[in-house]
Amino acid sequence: MLIRYAFCVENVEQDEVFHKLESVISEERYNRMQKYHFPIDKTRSLFAEVLLRYALKKHFAMEGTEIVFETNEYGKPFLKGEKNLHFNVSHSGNWVICGISDQPVGVDVEVIKERNTDIAERFFSKKEAQAIKDSDLGNDLFYQYWTLKESYVKAEGKGMSISFNSFSFAVDGEDISLELEGKPCHTYQFGVYKIDEETWAATCSCEPVRGIFEKITISQITEMLLV
């Protein structure tokens, strides 16, 4: 089981609908939102939980106080009392995405900017840094690697205790391979795709994720009101 949703926050206003949705999120999420200065940051944070709650209600009939979040020792959130239900959320730019599975899952979304060669050389593997230098599409490859790496460490649930240069990806179209300590790792399957012209997203799952763009569900604001 692998369920993926995305929601575009572009043009979402902090109006009556926004404030209604504030009433359904966790207290921890609400308090976190209040620390943001810019409205777009509050909007992304709000819909990160709202989108997840929508998916949990639609597919698992979970809602309200049934949904309780806790975190592991590395800060990764999980659902209290639901050992066989995993989730992950990410947001950047105009997009919020979430993934739900009965096995570990990680998702990441990043807005494209000019690649920073220094970042690749400092934090990526030598193979990845060289591939970026050699590619005519180096900027896109940079963000493919970045989102894939984020999705992997999020699926593992150990945060930045896993160094980005301790593992390496190779991307050839939809063929994505992972190496750990120089050896192939087949624990996870990966998908990486452009969700729009300015944004890359990736999924790490124990299930195949080929053709992920066609299978991800883009939700609408009217659906969010169903939480």
Side-chain angles (χ1 to χ4, degrees), residues 61-223:
M62 296 176 62
E63 60 183 316
T65 56
E66 293 179 90
I67 301 173
V68 179
F69 301 107
E70 294 187 334
T71 57
N72 69 10
E73 60 184 301
Y74 298 98
K76 181 179 179 178
F78 63 91
L79 292 166
K80 182 178 180 180
E82 299 291 340
K83 294 183 179 180
N84 297 317
L85 192 57
H86 303 259
F87 75 89
N88 196 228
V89 298
S90 180
H91 51 80
S92 180
N94 290 325
W95 289 97
V96 176
I97 64 175
C98 80
I100 301 175
S101 178
D102 54 0
Q103 300 179 72
V105 61
V107 297
D108 188 57
V109 60
E110 299 288 342
V111 172
I112 299 170
K113 301 175 183 177
E114 285 298 317
R115 76 178 184 273
N116 188 318
T117 303
D118 291 339
I119 290 178
E121 292 180 345
R122 288 178 59 196
F123 297 106
F124 290 4
S125 71
K126 291 182 179 180
K127 286 183 179 180
E128 291 165 334
Q130 189 62 50
I132 291 169
K133 286 183 178 180
D134 294 342
S135 175
D136 293 334
L137 302 174
N139 203 37
D140 279 332
L141 188 57
F142 174 90
Y143 280 97
Q144 288 180 49
Y145 286 152
W146 187 272
T147 53
L148 285 167
K149 284 176 172 290
E150 287 279 5
S151 71
Y152 168 69
V153 299
K154 292 173 78 175
E156 284 285 281
K158 296 180 181 179
M160 296 311 294
S161 67
I162 302 177
S163 173
F164 266 20
N165 62 15
S166 67
F167 58 98
S168 182
F169 281 99
V171 179
D172 183 9
E174 288 192 344
D175 293 323
I176 302 169
S177 58
L178 169 65
E179 284 189 357
L180 298 178
E181 299 180 350
K183 298 180 180 179
C185 174
H186 303 295
T187 302
Y188 295 109
Q189 301 292 316
F190 298 91
V192 64
Y193 54 98
K194 269 187 172 179
I195 201 165
D196 65 24
E197 287 303 312
E198 300 178 348
T199 315
W200 277 98
T203 298
C204 170
S205 170
C206 295
E207 303 172 57
V209 289
R210 286 181 179 272
I212 186 172
F213 183 75
E214 288 75 15
K215 296 178 181 179
I216 197 167
T217 302
I218 309 297
S219 299
Q220 305 300 319
I221 187 65
T222 52
E223 296 173 301

